[in-house]
Amino acid sequence: MTIGEKIKKYRDKAGVSREQLADALHETVLTLDLLESDRVAPTDVEIQRICDVLSVSKEEFLRDDEPTGTATTEAASEQNSGEN
């Protein structure tokens, strides 16, 4: 799961709109959209602020417990290439 996907996941879980999170972070909705779509990577300070607003620990937020579709696809590709 990418950082952007995690922001959206925890924002939805907390019942916070994009506008509300952007306001709490003193950012624009456009900036939040860029973060959630992974077009811009958040800094460590921004990640901590997001976690504070969404009431999630930074450790839980950064935990890689759900693989992305890309990682799964890459792993399958590596397995298939070894079968040739």
Side-chain angles (χ1 to χ4, degrees):
M1 181 176 284
T2 67
I3 294 291
E5 291 169 335
K6 289 179 181 187
I7 294 170
K8 182 170 180 357
K9 171 188 166 182
Y10 285 105
R11 181 177 59 74
D12 289 345
K13 188 175 179 180
V16 175
S17 72
R18 288 175 15 168
E19 292 80 8
Q20 290 170 322
L21 182 55
D23 268 355
L25 299 173
H26 305 287
E27 297 288 354
T28 65
V29 174
L30 175 60
T31 298
L32 186 58
D33 181 55
L34 293 172
L35 291 169
E36 285 189 351
S37 63
D38 293 305
R39 289 182 268 167
V40 171
T43 65
D44 285 338
V45 171
E46 289 171 321
I47 290 173
Q48 186 61 59
R49 288 174 49 208
I50 290 166
C51 291
D52 291 344
V53 171
L54 299 179
S55 300
V56 61
S57 72
K58 190 173 178 182
E59 292 76 24
E60 180 181 350
F61 182 83
L62 294 175
R63 188 178 313 132
D64 192 21
D65 54 359
E66 296 183 38
T68 62
T70 304
T72 304
T73 303
E74 288 173 2
S77 294
E78 287 177 16
Q79 284 180 336
N80 290 338
S81 65
E83 295 175 1
N84 292 341

